[in-house]
Structures are given as C-alpha cells and as structure tokens.
Amino acid sequence: MAEEQKKITVNFQMEQDLHEKLKALAKKKGVSFAGYIRMICNDAVEAEETKK
C-alpha cells in the first residue's frame, strides 16, 4: 500500500475569469475545484517527467 502523503495548503491568486472557467471544467468532471487543480498539477508533473 502506498504511504500516505502529507497534505499542505497552497494559496495563490488567479484572475477571476480563469477561476470561473476552471470551476466550470471541474464541475463537468464531477470533482471539486481543488481536486481539479490537483489533477492538472499531477498531469503536468507526469508530462515533464516523461520528457526526461
């Protein structure tokens, strides 16, 4: 079984229109906004690691 990762809180600012678009995309996928941001970040890391 995978080891439980420690969770941290990340705060940052973004444009309101981008936030609204991301919230709408998250809703389409049936996940929370935070969950969608985590998905995007995981995908980006995977893509970068695959390049190497």
Side-chain angles (χ1 to χ4, degrees):
M1 179 162 46
E3 186 178 323
E4 181 69 23
Q5 291 286 320
K6 180 181 177 187
K7 302 268 195 274
I8 63 167
T9 299
V10 179
N11 294 304
F12 59 94
Q13 294 182 349
M14 72 172 56
E15 291 78 11
Q16 185 174 355
D17 61 333
L18 176 59
H19 180 253
E20 294 300 323
K21 290 175 185 176
L22 288 168
K23 279 193 336 187
L25 290 169
K27 187 175 181 178
K28 277 186 184 178
K29 290 194 173 278
V31 297
S32 67
F33 174 76
Y36 190 60
I37 296 299
R38 283 191 296 273
M39 286 172 46
I40 292 170
C41 292
N42 283 326
D43 291 349
V45 169
E46 267 185 43
E48 285 298 318
E49 289 177 342
T50 302
K51 285 183 190 179
K52 296 177 183 176

